[in-house]
Amino acid sequence: MTANPLSGTPFATLVSEDIRQFINTHNLDESARAKLEALPMDQQVDVISQDVANVRNISAVVISRASRCQREGSKFAGPSGQEYVAGIVAKFVAMLGLDEKAAASLKNLPAKDQVAVMVKDMEGVTNPSGVVDSRVRKIQQSGLTIQQAGFVGRGASVPTGGAPAPRLGATVPTDATQYLEQAYQAFLAQYNVDLRAQEQVSQLSPLEKLEVISQSMDNVYNPSGAVASRCAKVKGRPVVLGPRAAQWVAEVAQLFCKSFGIDSSSDAFSVLQALPADKQFEVCSQSLAGARNPQSVLYCRMQKLSGTPVAPQALGYQTVPALQAPHTLSMMGCAGGEVESFIARYKLDERAAGVLRDLAARDPTAAEEVMRHPITAEVRNPSGVIHARVTSRMGVSKRAGAAGAALRAAPY
């Protein structure tokens, strides 16, 4: 452990002279120099560490490489860059006096990730080994797939190729609870959580478990104790998912929808993503396997959960023209207007048409609600559906009287 706090960025101290020498040695023109110096430190190092043998116009090459770094970020893909970074790592370890564990974990990273660890500010740090080890673990965690670790860093891209392939012998998740279980098992393996803490986690609800394992493990030196403490805090209390958990849920929701053929550009998916994270998790906790129209089922779940509206045509529903005001409906009687248009649109038989007209005369608001509710394209018997809806409405209407009772007594 360092006795005195560090100041500044050791990485910048180690590479600044190399950057200056590169500029002077190769006599870069003003444009190339300005382009290089405008880059973040890690990208400057990526540019100068690449091989320049047989390069005739070094200024043009530097500008080209700098532009690529601006578009794609630093890569350190070539042997020259990797060799340079290895040398900087050795100097970094010596400068900070890192212990064996921190040094080994840093050296085992790819060159790009080594630079990502070293380039960060160390201002005020009194335990550089602990900080470096924490940064390494964070990078290792963020590099895992959503099933393996469950949580990705801010700004990470959402997988777009459907649910990632599972490990050999593993089951492909079909709902959010299965994704959570895989994330939890990976969490246990990564942090070696003891049985006592695991027992406490087993008593939590899925959302409570998610909140416990989604919290950062940076600078945690007793993972089992941290997990046990978190369990005690969340158990039996209203769950408020943090940003990491919310991001995880959003990614799982996209994987869930994509695996059942619901496109991420659809209105159904947009409505799902607009829900709070806990509601998204609840909607995605039941598999859509076997559903003939997954979008319709998803829509129904969201409607039951929160009554959130969505464009019916986006989910395969037929749309109904806007209805006239209730007082207009009551004046229409049994002919013309929106009731007749609705009857014609869905080719209702006489029995269904009759009860709908009767409902419009008795309770215009109820008739409006019956017609406003969409009918899916898969409904084989629209007349039966409308008859059932009207029966339900008249059954709860105080004005239905004997007519409502007769309708309920005679199945369609």
Side-chain angles (χ1 to χ4, degrees):
M1 180 178 291
T2 301
N4 298 317
L6 297 174
S7 61
T9 306
F11 181 78
T13 302
L14 293 172
V15 302
S16 293
E17 181 61 22
D18 291 342
I19 294 172
R20 187 187 66 80
Q21 287 185 2
F22 180 90
I23 292 172
N24 294 335
T25 299
H26 297 289
N27 194 26
L28 298 185
D29 62 29
E30 193 62 32
S31 296
R33 177 172 182 166
K35 187 79 171 179
L36 177 63
E37 292 178 339
L39 296 175
M41 187 64 69
D42 62 316
Q43 294 181 13
Q44 291 186 46
V45 172
D46 190 13
V47 170
I48 70 166
S49 65
Q50 296 180 49
D51 188 13
V52 293
N54 303 319
V55 172
R56 295 184 178 181
N57 187 344
I58 187 65
S59 292
V61 169
V62 166
I63 291 174
S64 174
R65 291 176 178 175
S67 297
R68 179 192 59 77
C69 279
Q70 286 179 319
R71 293 192 309 271
E72 305 173 8
S74 56
K75 294 185 178 297
F76 300 97
S80 176
Q82 293 173 5
E83 182 179 353
Y84 178 83
V85 171
I88 296 299
V89 168
K91 295 177 182 178
F92 185 85
V93 169
M95 175 183 285
L96 272 63
L98 300 184
D99 60 28
E100 291 185 4
K101 179 184 177 184
S105 62
L106 178 60
K107 291 177 180 178
N108 286 333
L109 291 177
K112 177 181 177 180
D113 292 338
Q114 290 175 336
V115 173
V117 169
M118 295 186 293
V119 76
K120 293 182 179 179
D121 189 17
M122 299 288 284
E123 183 73 35
V125 170
T126 58
N127 181 8
S129 295
V131 170
V132 168
D133 190 55
S134 173
R135 290 177 181 175
V136 170
R137 285 191 285 110
K138 187 173 183 179
I139 285 178
Q140 289 173 332
Q141 180 179 348
S142 66
L144 298 175
T145 66
I146 196 165
Q147 288 102 324
Q148 292 171 321
F151 308 100
V152 294
R154 184 180 298 275
S157 60
V158 178
T160 56
R167 297 181 299 276
L168 185 62
T171 302
V172 177
T174 59
D175 60 59
T177 57
Q178 292 182 10
Y179 279 109
L180 176 59
E181 182 59 27
Q182 287 199 359
Y184 174 59
Q185 293 302 324
F187 180 91
L188 294 181
Q190 181 173 356
Y191 295 107
N192 195 28
V193 178
D194 63 28
L195 293 177
R196 181 182 177 186
Q198 290 184 43
E199 176 63 25
Q200 290 181 266
V201 174
S202 69
Q203 299 175 19
L204 302 178
S205 69
L207 286 177
E208 290 171 343
K209 179 190 291 187
L210 173 58
E211 180 56 16
V212 165
I213 69 173
S214 67
Q215 295 177 39
S216 174
M217 297 293 285
D218 289 351
N219 301 318
V220 172
Y221 295 98
N222 181 4
S224 297
V227 169
S229 175
R230 293 173 184 177
C231 288
K233 290 180 180 179
V234 304
K235 184 172 175 57
R237 301 179 183 179
V239 178
V240 180
L241 297 179
R244 286 167 60 87
Q247 182 180 351
W248 182 87
V249 171
E251 294 193 11
V252 165
Q254 181 164 347
L255 289 171
F256 175 86
C257 289
K258 195 168 186 66
S259 65
F260 293 107
I262 301 174
D263 193 85
S264 59
S265 63
S266 68
D267 283 2
F269 179 77
S270 298
V271 172
L272 176 62
Q273 290 286 66
L275 293 176
D278 58 331
K279 301 300 183 184
Q280 290 184 46
F281 186 92
E282 185 174 345
V283 169
C284 298
S285 290
Q286 299 179 49
S287 174
L288 291 172
R292 296 175 62 188
N293 188 340
Q295 288 197 71
S296 296
V297 175
L298 185 68
Y299 170 72
C300 290
R301 289 181 186 175
M302 292 187 289
Q303 286 284 73
K304 290 179 180 179
L305 196 63
S306 64
T308 305
V310 65
Q313 59 269 32
L315 301 174
Y317 293 105
Q318 300 179 36
T319 57
V320 180
L323 298 178
Q324 299 181 27
H327 72 275
T328 307
L329 275 172
S330 64
M331 297 171 60
M332 291 191 306
C334 297
E338 300 299 335
V339 171
E340 296 306 318
S341 175
F342 187 91
I343 291 171
R345 175 182 293 273
Y346 294 108
K347 300 179 181 178
L348 302 185
D349 61 22
E350 285 302 317
R351 186 177 179 188
V355 295
L356 180 59
R357 291 173 181 139
D358 187 46
L359 180 62
R362 292 169 177 270
D363 189 345
T365 301
E368 182 181 3
E369 292 178 359
V370 166
M371 293 188 290
R372 180 179 296 158
H373 198 286
I375 296 179
T376 66
E378 292 184 346
V379 171
R380 297 181 179 180
N381 185 3
S383 296
V385 171
I386 294 302
H387 187 275
R389 291 180 186 174
V390 173
T391 300
S392 175
R393 296 301 308 182
M394 295 187 73
V396 299
S397 173
K398 293 181 179 180
R399 293 177 291 175
L407 282 169
R408 293 193 303 274
Y412 196 83

